[in-house]
């Protein structure tokens, strides 16, 4: 259980919990968004490779990332689940990310996919500075539901399109003449995947534009709405097959938020301009000097490798770095493994604890689990 004083407004609580914004007094230039849980890699396979996924060899968990790879899967359909504890180092047991998904090939060149992500923030008691309750205890949570279609454009190039509904119920009820409610919006992803050879050996490349959608409001006031974490990701990978049973693959992903940075200071005019910009304009403004952050600090880089034995056993390792100095330039290593028994595959990953304070990842010292059931 988490206890927090409701001194400012519940919306500040919201932003504190998603850990993606700061108060005006800090004067840090940060890319603040609603529903940042959409940026958490939900599957244990990519979690074992430093969140690497965009261009790696196709696997069922790609329906959470690059859905353009689904037509290349060997199985015609499958169901999968993943579970990720959150803030385990703080002793919390009711904060977690769970996900489930399903894919089905319609024919030899197209398919459909569907997935659900659910993020629980545990139980929260709202109190004032003296410890007196101000609102009933609540269990904030967020979820998204996807439905997508994927198709082969050529023998070497495929495309995926996904539509998404997002719901964020962080706090509800009246406070200081403001009514807080669940925020919701619609979004979509567009993804591409290229493979050099028919058997997937050699070079792969991928592109993912994700979370392209509307703003989110948590109150009955509609003036200041929060952007969602639109993102552009580029990936490259190379697969080397030693023989019929042994192979190793190396990959690199580079991601960048297409979200303009929050205005610095307490300038009402800048603040009005920030909140009044359209969603499409915000994507382009994120690259501008007025709203953007330095290019080198805006990139999130994942490096990883995967060893594959007969499609039955895998070993994985990865490294992730976020160059944003305002967030402590977070870096960490990951390891993972999987094994397949008959028509079931089991993934596990571990994030090696590194750093401290704001540089310490919420998944430090955490095991993540996932299972895939093929039909």
């Amino acid at each position: 259980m988490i206890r927090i004083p409701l001194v400012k407004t519940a919306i500040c609580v919201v932003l504190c919990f998603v850990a993606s914004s700061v108060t005006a007094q800090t004067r840090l230039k940060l890319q603040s968004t609603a529903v940042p849980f959409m940026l958490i890699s939900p599957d244990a396979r990519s979690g074992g490779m430093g969140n690497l996924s965009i261009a790696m060899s196709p696997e069922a968990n790609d329906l959470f990332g690059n859905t353009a790879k689904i037509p290349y899967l060997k199985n015609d359909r499958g169901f999968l689940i993943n579970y990720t504890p959150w803030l385990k180092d703080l002793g919390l047991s009711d904060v977690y990310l769970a996900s489930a998904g399903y894919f089905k090939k319609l024919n030899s060149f197209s398919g459909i996919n569907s997935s659900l992500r659910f993020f629980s923030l545990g139980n929260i008691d709202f109190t004032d500075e003296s410890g007196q309750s101000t609102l009933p205890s609540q269990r904030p949570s967020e979820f998204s539901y996807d439905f997508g279609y994927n198709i082969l454009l050529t023998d070497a190039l495929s495309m995926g399109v996904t539509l998404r509904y997002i719901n964020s119920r962080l706090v509800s009820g009246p406070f200081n003449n403001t009514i807080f409610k669940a925020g919701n919006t619609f979004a979509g992803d567009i993804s591409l995947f290229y493979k050099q050879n028919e058997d997937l050996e050699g070079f792969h490349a991928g592109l993912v534009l994700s979370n392209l959608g509307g703003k989110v409001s948590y109150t009955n006031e509609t003036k200041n709405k929060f952007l969602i974490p639109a993102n552009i990701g580029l990936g490259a990978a190379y697969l080397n097959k030693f023989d019929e049973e042994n192979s190793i693959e190396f990959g690199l992903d580079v991601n960048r938020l297409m979200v303009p940075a929050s205005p610095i200071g307490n300038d009402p005019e800048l603040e009005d301009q920030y909140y009044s910009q359209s969603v499409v304009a915000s994507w382009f403004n994120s690259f501008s000097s007025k709203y953007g952050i330095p290019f080198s600090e805006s990139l999130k880089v994942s490096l990883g490798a995967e060893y594959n034995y007969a499609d039955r056993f895998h070993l994985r390792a990865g490294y992730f770095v976020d160059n944003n100095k305002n967030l402590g330039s977070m870096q960490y290593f990951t390891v993972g493994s999987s094994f397949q028994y008959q028509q079931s595959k089991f993934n596990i990953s571990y994030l090696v604890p590194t750093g401290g304070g704001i540089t310490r990842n919420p998944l430090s010292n955490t095991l993540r689990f996932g299972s895939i059931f093929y039909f």
Side-chain angles (χ1 to χ4, degrees):
M1 187 193 318
I2 304 172
R3 295 182 61 88
I4 51 177
L6 189 59
V7 181
K8 299 178 181 179
T9 65
I11 200 65
C12 292
V13 173
V14 168
L15 297 179
C16 179
F17 263 98
V18 298
S20 62
S21 70
V22 294
T23 58
Q25 289 81 5
T26 60
R27 301 183 65 84
L28 295 180
K29 197 174 185 182
L30 296 180
Q31 294 167 296
S32 305
T33 74
V35 296
F37 83 100
M38 294 303 304
L39 293 175
I40 303 172
S41 177
D43 68 279
R45 185 210 184 192
S46 64
M49 298 184 290
N51 299 334
L52 179 70
S53 67
I54 296 176
M56 295 295 283
S57 295
E59 199 227 30
N61 278 300
D62 286 317
L63 59 85
F64 294 115
N66 190 344
T67 60
K69 291 189 273 183
I70 292 177
Y72 297 114
L73 293 176
K74 297 179 180 178
N75 299 85
D76 289 336
R77 54 180 175 154
F79 172 78
L80 59 140
I81 54 175
N82 291 280
Y83 177 77
T84 300
W86 195 253
L87 297 175
K88 181 182 177 183
D89 273 0
L90 297 183
L92 302 178
S93 60
D94 54 358
V95 182
Y96 60 88
L97 173 67
S99 59
Y102 175 80
F103 74 90
K104 176 180 174 58
K105 289 186 179 181
L106 300 177
N107 45 49
S108 60
F109 59 87
S110 67
I112 57 174
N113 57 275
S114 180
S115 62
L116 173 70
R117 308 184 204 196
F118 178 80
F119 187 44
S120 169
L121 287 160
N123 188 67
I124 297 179
D125 292 332
F126 293 92
T127 64
D128 57 23
E129 292 177 338
S130 62
Q132 299 298 315
S133 297
T134 57
L135 285 174
S137 296
Q138 301 190 29
R139 296 187 63 87
S141 61
E142 302 175 298
F143 75 88
S144 69
Y145 176 74
D146 300 354
F147 182 82
Y149 176 75
N150 40 82
I151 187 171
L152 295 178
L153 301 177
T154 68
D155 290 338
L157 182 66
S158 59
M159 179 179 182
V161 178
T162 301
L163 299 179
R164 174 175 300 120
Y165 170 71
I166 303 173
N167 181 281
S168 178
R169 186 184 62 82
L170 297 176
V171 65
S172 60
F175 181 79
N176 285 351
N177 299 320
T178 301
I179 299 177
F180 293 92
K181 62 178 184 178
N184 57 83
T185 190
F186 290 92
D189 297 352
I190 301 173
S191 56
L192 295 170
F193 178 71
Y194 167 82
K195 64 182 181 70
Q196 183 179 17
N197 298 306
E198 181 67 25
D199 62 355
L200 292 171
E201 187 172 13
F203 175 74
H204 309 150
L207 167 68
V208 177
L209 294 168
S210 58
N211 300 317
L212 306 178
K215 299 181 180 181
V216 172
S217 175
Y218 291 99
T219 71
N220 56 342
E221 299 175 358
T222 59
K223 179 181 178 181
N224 295 339
K225 293 185 176 182
F226 298 92
L227 295 165
I228 64 174
N231 185 83
I232 180 171
L234 292 169
Y238 185 84
L239 174 65
N240 181 39
K241 294 185 177 181
F242 302 116
D243 51 45
E244 293 183 357
E245 293 186 333
N246 296 274
S247 67
I248 190 168
E249 186 172 14
F250 301 92
L252 167 70
D253 282 0
V254 179
N255 285 277
R256 187 187 191 279
L257 275 178
M258 296 192 299
V259 178
S262 302
I264 299 176
N266 294 311
D267 190 328
E269 183 178 351
L270 283 178
E271 189 172 310
D272 289 340
Q273 292 177 5
Y274 178 82
Y275 284 108
S276 63
Q277 63 186 318
S278 68
V279 171
V280 175
S282 72
W283 301 338
F284 293 98
N285 287 338
S286 67
F287 295 92
S288 69
S289 58
K290 179 179 179 180
Y291 288 110
I293 62 176
F295 184 78
S296 61
E297 295 183 22
S298 67
L299 302 179
K300 298 175 177 61
V301 180
S302 298
L303 290 166
E306 179 181 64
Y307 165 75
N308 178 2
Y309 173 72
D311 286 333
R312 293 291 178 179
F313 177 74
H314 298 80
L315 285 176
R316 305 180 181 107
Y319 176 72
F320 175 88
V321 57
D322 184 346
N323 287 318
N324 194 319
K325 295 180 180 179
N326 289 331
L327 296 179
S329 299
M330 184 181 295
Q331 305 175 33
Y332 55 83
F333 290 94
T334 64
V335 292
S337 181
S338 71
F339 68 93
Q340 184 164 337
Y341 177 73
Q342 295 183 353
Q343 293 297 94
S344 299
K345 185 177 182 180
F346 304 93
N347 290 308
I348 188 171
S349 66
Y350 176 76
L351 193 146
V352 181
T354 56
I358 62 174
T359 67
R360 189 169 179 84
N361 190 278
L363 289 174
S364 289
N365 200 33
T366 299
L367 288 172
R368 309 169 71 177
F369 304 92
S371 299
I372 306 172
F373 306 97
Y374 295 108
F375 304 98

